Amino acid sequence: MPVAELAAKWVPGASVAYIGKASQRKNLDGLWGRISEYEKAGHPGQTHSHSGGERIWQLADARDLRVAWKVVPDKAEERLETAMILAFMDKYGRIPFGNRTAS
């Protein structure tokens, strides 16, 4: 992604770069699979399904970022992700840098 486009998406003062969910999917990979997809996004030419990771891996300090998670009851992950993104938007006026939509 061009640097100008990345700069336009940056959220000054935010300590969160991406909010997402990792539901248990048919292949039972859940959180581990989602992190693996995220990691693959940092390697040009690798097939992945994590578009937010493409932005994150272009950060100069991408390898220093931390992953945090919260286990929630089944079927609650979508609501929690939406609520967290909306709370972020309330505070910063836009979605996190790595997110492409407001969920």
Side-chain angles (χ1 to χ4, degrees):
M1 181 173 279
V3 173
E5 203 172 321
L6 293 170
K9 299 292 183 189
W10 188 248
V11 183
S15 59
V16 172
Y18 176 78
I19 296 171
K21 61 185 176 305
S23 307
Q24 194 73 293
R25 293 172 279 187
K26 289 179 184 174
N27 55 358
L28 302 176
D29 60 357
L31 180 61
W32 178 251
R34 194 65 173 152
I35 291 171
S36 176
E37 291 170 5
Y38 196 77
E39 192 269 334
K40 285 178 186 175
H43 300 283
Q46 286 218 7
T47 302
H48 63 87
S49 60
H50 201 297
S51 59
E54 293 172 349
R55 290 182 186 168
I56 300 299
W57 287 108
Q58 292 185 60
L59 295 172
D61 61 351
R63 301 236 181 260
D64 297 329
L65 298 175
R66 299 182 192 276
V67 174
W69 66 91
K70 176 182 176 95
V71 177
V72 298
D74 206 18
K75 308 289 185 219
E77 66 277 356
E78 186 97 18
R79 276 193 323 268
L80 180 59
E81 178 191 37
T82 299
M84 291 174 72
I85 291 173
L86 290 173
F88 186 97
M89 290 173 66
D90 283 347
K91 183 170 183 171
Y92 297 103
R94 57 173 58 180
I95 62 175
F97 171 76
N99 287 82
R100 297 210 183 243
T101 63
S103 187

